[in-house]
Amino acid sequence: MASATGLNVGNDRPVVTRFAPSPTGFLHIGNARTGLFSWLYARHFGGKALLRIEDTDKKRSTQEAIDVIFDGLGWLGLEFDDEPVFQSTRADRHAEVAEKLLAAGRAYKCFATPEELAEMREQQRANKQPMRYDGRWRDRDPSEAPEGAPYTIRIKSETEGETAIDDAVQGRVTVKNNEIDDFILLRADGTPTYMLAVVVDDMDMGCTHIIRGDDHLNNAFRQIQVIRAMQGVEQGWEEPTYAHVPLIHGNDGAKLSKRHGALGVRDYRDMGILPEALFNYLLRLGWGHGDQEEFSMEEAISLFDVSAVNKGPSRFDMKKLLNMNGNYIRKADDARLATMAAKLIGDHADEALLTEAMPVLKTRARDMNELAAGAAFLFKQRPLEMDEKAAGLLTDESRSLLSSISGRLQAETDWTIEALEANLKAYAEELGLGLGKLAQPLRAALTGTTTSPGIFDVLVLLGREESLARIDAQGAA
Ligand code: GLU
């Protein structure tokens, strides 16, 4: 377990973590966060961060769903070590472990039929007893079963005492062993259960630290039963350190679901969130270092400690993410933002012009879509199409105002923000109007919209010739 001093106390093996997402069609941000924590923990200790794709549900695990995971992790900048492990390729090994436990007397064959088990559960429900397998074949001689009858292999769980986990996030959690039933390891058709597959893979991958969602805490007690049973059978079955990280909740305190909006990492990318902003936001969700708000990847690696992750669920706050994203946009490299914006604007976008305009464009945008929308005016063709609000501003009165502004600007020899500002301010004063009265129709004429960067920035970015042409196109004849 990690201590505050950053030492990997209590587990002297080199750190190996794993992230084990199931390909469900999207990379849930809650999972991405535990993946991030696993990855950071390994990087912090100079260990290995492994990736395992839990693709045993063949219906859902399409190549597309798997690619979504790889894309999302790559986009966030999380590179994992070694080749990813595909759980579905390891079914033989899972079965082998079940057979070994059977041979060692740590597991047994259960011939109970599905009907029999349903009846057992029905009775337990009627008697208000906990619903769990009652161990009916635990001590029975398999020869009592009918010839060739199908069977499952069940673990012989400990029945006495209790099991404690010193969870790096949750603290000490204890469960009485008699609350853990003899669960199935291998189904009658020879396929491994999820519970078996996870623990066999964790052990074979040499995982020392299991960092995952706290919805798996109960599973840990079962998985420990398998580990302990295998300790007498094979080398290398050491109990890992667990860290069960709370799930992410929505702003209303309920578990994050579709109702709260976007769930997948890809959705956030499509919303124009920068990867470094999502990285930082997920990192800060339930973990912190003093009151520092933003961390580079290097800082995160050097400071992250899983034992400092909050025990309580954290709330996802879209507004906060967008604000943070805005900060990251302002810090980001102009040419990089220009490339991203050009993709969003389309073929007619000019990256060089976007790069030049970026210091202005990026001052307000909270996401890349907003930024691209704010930049679109640069590439519009004359005559500009006016949106409804802009069209509403272009009254006869303001059209004649535009004509006089055009005359004034034609005489301007210094096409800079400062000179243009001084010029139009003086003109507004001469006319006894507020500057806004001039800026509104001007903005409409120059951009076709009512929202844009500052009007003097717009004039400079468009340049003298294009600005005057756009103004004249809207001015009174
Ligand atoms: N595949 C599981 C999930 O996506 C994680 C299993 C584990 O971390 O042990 O929830």
Side-chain angles (χ1 to χ4, degrees):
M1 187 166 131
S3 78
T5 57
L7 292 172
N8 180 30
V9 178
N11 201 331
D12 52 11
R13 295 180 289 161
V15 169
V16 179
T17 67
R18 58 37 163 207
F19 175 43
S22 308
T24 54
F26 65 122
L27 178 57
H28 191 286
I29 51 159
N31 283 346
R33 187 180 59 140
T34 52
L36 169 65
F37 288 177
S38 287
W39 183 88
L40 281 173
Y41 193 82
R43 289 288 171 268
H44 178 87
F45 288 107
K48 270 191 180 186
L50 303 180
L51 178 62
R52 179 170 76 237
I53 304 294
E54 304 217 308
D55 58 344
T56 45
D57 178 349
K58 277 291 160 203
K59 276 194 278 337
R60 295 173 97 184
S61 308
T62 58
Q63 187 55 44
E64 203 185 339
I66 292 167
D67 287 343
V68 166
I69 295 175
F70 290 144
D71 284 356
L73 294 174
W75 181 75
L76 278 171
L78 306 183
E79 281 192 21
F80 286 81
D81 300 309
D82 301 350
E83 287 299 308
V85 171
F86 290 89
Q87 190 159 63
S88 64
T89 63
R90 297 184 30 86
D92 289 351
R93 167 64 178 154
H94 303 147
E96 181 189 52
V97 169
E99 296 292 348
K100 282 189 170 183
L101 287 169
L102 184 64
R106 303 302 301 255
Y108 61 93
K109 293 180 181 176
C110 169
F111 294 90
T113 62
E115 296 73 32
E116 217 182 298
L117 292 173
E119 194 187 306
M120 174 193 80
R121 279 192 289 269
E122 200 40 60
Q123 267 181 13
Q124 288 170 337
R125 186 175 311 148
N127 299 338
K128 299 206 161 50
Q129 287 169 329
M131 292 213 279
R132 51 176 95 108
Y133 177 70
D134 61 5
R136 58 185 61 195
W137 278 94
R138 184 174 168 119
D139 298 313
R140 253 173 100 174
D141 190 331
S143 66
E144 290 176 32
E147 271 282 310
Y151 61 86
T152 57
I153 296 182
R154 289 181 180 269
I155 182 88
K156 222 177 236 183
S157 283
E158 293 165 52
T159 51
E160 312 266 299
E162 50 186 37
T163 299
I165 291 179
D166 284 312
D167 192 279
V169 172
Q170 308 288 333
R172 174 162 280 227
V173 189
T174 309
V175 163
K176 289 202 177 65
N177 287 335
N178 66 10
E179 285 173 21
I180 298 164
D181 67 356
D182 292 346
F183 55 93
I184 296 176
L185 301 173
L186 209 62
R187 300 189 189 92
D189 64 3
T191 60
T193 57
Y194 169 71
M195 200 63 70
L196 176 68
V198 167
V199 68
V200 172
D201 291 349
D202 284 344
M203 292 298 105
D204 285 356
M205 289 163 78
C207 298
T208 58
H209 292 74
I210 307 293
I211 300 171
R212 62 184 171 193
D214 68 1
D215 49 335
H216 290 284
L217 179 58
N218 285 334
N219 292 345
F221 290 95
R222 294 168 168 244
Q223 288 158 5
I224 284 175
Q225 292 292 329
V226 177
I227 295 173
R228 289 185 182 160
M230 276 304 284
Q231 277 170 349
V233 179
E234 265 185 14
Q235 295 281 310
W237 287 69
E238 276 189 57
E239 276 183 45
T241 299
Y242 290 97
H244 287 95
V245 175
L247 300 174
I248 301 178
H249 287 209
N251 236 350
D252 55 1
K255 202 174 131 183
L256 202 65
S257 69
K258 283 242 157 74
R259 190 162 58 77
H260 295 100
L263 286 182
V265 166
R266 195 174 263 188
D267 300 326
Y268 291 92
R269 187 189 65 190
D270 293 346
M271 283 159 77
I273 303 293
L274 294 181
E276 61 268 38
L278 191 61
F279 178 101
N280 194 71
Y281 185 74
L282 293 178
L283 171 68
R284 293 281 290 104
L285 212 51
W287 178 84
H289 183 75
D291 45 21
Q292 189 172 336
E293 287 281 344
E294 289 172 11
F295 298 83
S296 67
M297 193 179 267
E298 291 68 34
E299 282 175 312
I301 290 170
S302 92
L303 295 169
F304 183 74
D305 183 349
V306 78
S307 57
V309 171
N310 280 345
K311 229 168 147 169
S314 27
R315 292 189 180 208
F316 194 87
D317 183 343
M318 193 60 209
K319 247 200 196 144
K320 209 166 157 195
L321 171 59
L322 280 172
N323 284 335
M324 196 175 266
N325 197 48
N327 295 341
Y328 276 96
I329 287 178
R330 280 177 278 292
K331 283 203 276 191
D333 175 68
D334 291 340
R336 172 182 167 222
L337 293 175
T339 307
M340 293 171 81
K343 276 208 192 95
L344 293 167
I345 294 169
D347 288 345
H348 53 291
D350 171 352
E351 262 184 61
L353 178 54
L354 277 170
T355 308
E356 195 191 315
M358 203 48 75
V360 168
L361 295 172
K362 73 184 187 181
T363 54
R364 324 173 178 213
R366 292 195 308 166
D367 66 67
M368 289 307 295
N369 295 326
E370 200 177 310
L371 190 148
F377 77 90
L378 288 169
F379 309 103
K380 287 186 176 168
Q381 300 293 319
R382 272 177 278 124
L384 259 61
E385 218 176 281
M386 296 286 136
D387 72 19
E388 209 178 311
K389 278 194 194 158
L393 282 174
L394 294 172
T395 58
D396 288 349
E397 197 184 333
S398 56
R399 284 183 192 278
S400 66
L401 186 57
L402 283 174
S403 300
S404 60
I405 292 175
S406 167
R408 214 159 148 126
L409 292 182
Q410 271 166 34
E412 178 59 66
T413 51
D414 184 9
W415 203 265
T416 60
I417 291 180
E418 298 72 27
L420 291 164
E421 186 169 355
N423 186 332
L424 289 182
K425 270 193 175 152
Y427 190 41
E429 236 164 76
E430 255 174 56
L431 298 173
L433 295 173
L435 182 62
K437 276 275 175 289
L438 270 63
Q440 278 178 350
L442 202 47
R443 172 172 285 119
L446 291 169
T447 69
T449 69
T450 52
T451 53
S452 76
I455 197 67
F456 307 110
D457 288 310
V458 170
L459 284 164
V460 170
L461 289 172
L462 287 173
R464 177 193 188 92
E465 198 182 324
E466 178 67 19
S467 296
L468 289 172
R470 288 189 186 189
I471 297 169
D472 289 344
Q474 305 300 333

